[in-house]
Each structure stands twice: as C-alpha cells, then as structure tokens.
Amino acid sequence: MASPSPLSETLRRLDQVVREQGVSSKPLDAEELAGRAALPVSTVRILLQGGAPPDDSVNDRVRMRIAALAEAEMAATGKRMSDLASDISERLGVSGYWARQVCDGKKVPSVELLHGLVEYFGVEEGEAFFTASAADALNRVLLPVLHGLEHPENDPVLALMDRYGVRSADLRAHGSLTREQLERLLEGVMRSVVPPDGGREQ
C-alpha cells in the first residue's frame, strides 16, 4: 500500500488536531494560502478538497509563480509593471523588455535570472519555490500552520490567546484576528503589564 502524499498527510493531521482541540472547523482561507504559495486560488481549493490539480510543466510553474510574485510586489508597493521591470532590469542586468516578459509570465527565465529573482523577491525556499509541484508548494505553506496547532506552547501569541480565552482556529489558519478578538487580546496584555489602580500613574 502506497504511503500518503506529504500534502494529504498534512491535511489529515490538520483535520485531526482541529477536531481534537474542539476549535472551529472553518475552512482554511484558500485565497490567502494561494497568495503565500503563489498558486491559483482554484488550484488551492482543489488540493484542500483532496483533488488533483491540472497537470503542468516545470516551465508553467516557474512562469506562473514569478507572475504571482510580481503581482504581489506591485500590490504591496504600488509599483506599476514598468517600474518593477525597470527595477529588476537594473538589479539583474537584463533588458527591461525581457524583465517585463518574465514578470508577466510570458517567458521562462534562465537559471541565472531565476537565481537573481529568488534574491530579488526574497524567496527563502530558493529556486525550488518556483519549480515545486502545486501539492508540494501548498504543503510548504501549511506545515507551519500545522506546527502551530500541534505545538501552541511554542507560540507566545497563541499561549497568550489561550490565557485570555481568545484562542481561535481562524488565527491559526490565517494568521489574523477579528477586531473583537484583537481587542480582547490587547486588553489582556494591558492588564498584565499595567499596574493596578493605586500604582504609579501612567
């Protein structure tokens, strides 16, 4: 019998730990996971449901993920594509036209340029970030989520949330709090660091 794939095993463990801890079973945010893995949202949804995404080549993966990183960079910095291409052109010593074609997902970069893009975008996983299968790319993003669920004692924020009763599967899955949850957490933090009435005035 074949052993389960790394992603299916991660999803199984995520489901198990969520059920064991009795927290909300709200689905993982496919859009956020897609952004972090540089995958199409539709592909992430298929993978989360245990399906198999459409076949792709390594070149397809590289082009798609560079385009996703370029889009994210422009959204975060307010740069236009022409600005981004010009910046990459200067940093990596390629023509502005070629840089734009690569960032648009229309051309596959050389190995040397791909290495330069790893540094430009600050991709910790190196070239493997661009070439990994969709399942492996999503698994890489989900593993820290799983680790945080299985070992909350290693996460000071989650430990503090437990202490003040605002532990939430939503935070663990998405790394964000609702306004109400954040206010409760901050209230708990303030109570723990601010002297009680009668202490030194602030």
Side-chain angles (χ1 to χ4, degrees), residues 2-182:
S3 59
S5 70
L7 176 61
S8 63
E9 177 63 12
T10 297
L11 290 173
R12 183 194 66 77
R13 288 167 61 191
L14 274 169
D15 181 65
Q16 178 180 359
V17 74
V18 165
R19 283 188 286 104
E20 287 177 350
Q21 295 182 11
V23 291
S24 169
S25 58
K26 181 179 178 180
L28 296 169
D29 188 323
E31 289 190 10
E32 180 174 343
L33 292 172
R36 291 166 59 192
L39 292 169
V41 176
S42 59
T43 296
V44 170
R45 289 193 176 117
I46 290 171
L47 289 169
L48 289 176
Q49 294 167 3
D55 288 336
D56 59 1
S57 68
V58 171
N59 283 349
D60 290 337
R61 298 170 192 170
V62 171
R63 288 188 298 100
M64 178 191 66
R65 290 177 196 164
I66 291 174
L69 286 178
E71 285 290 335
E73 177 74 8
M74 289 187 290
T77 63
K79 291 180 181 178
R80 297 171 301 175
M81 177 60 79
S82 57
D83 299 326
L84 180 62
S86 176
D87 194 21
I88 290 175
S89 170
E90 292 178 11
R91 290 271 298 273
L92 304 185
V94 296
S95 73
Y97 173 78
W98 183 251
R100 179 162 189 149
Q101 292 289 97
V102 169
C103 288
D104 272 335
K106 296 176 181 176
K107 296 290 184 182
V108 178
S110 65
V111 172
E112 183 179 2
L113 179 54
L114 185 61
H115 181 71
L117 291 171
V118 166
E119 295 184 352
Y120 181 84
F121 288 114
V123 178
E124 295 180 1
E125 296 81 9
E127 287 82 353
F129 174 88
F130 299 100
T131 59
S133 69
D136 287 344
L138 181 58
N139 192 55
R140 171 186 57 79
V141 171
L142 288 176
L143 282 174
V145 177
L146 175 62
H147 182 75
L149 279 166
E150 291 183 331
H151 306 283
E153 69 279 2
N154 296 332
D155 188 324
V157 174
L158 293 181
L160 191 60
M161 290 178 67
D162 279 339
R163 181 176 175 184
Y164 291 102
V166 291
R167 188 169 179 177
S168 162
D170 188 61
L171 172 76
R172 295 148 188 263
H174 318 313
S176 61
L177 288 166
T178 65
R179 182 180 180 86
E180 180 182 353
Q181 289 169 331
L182 180 59

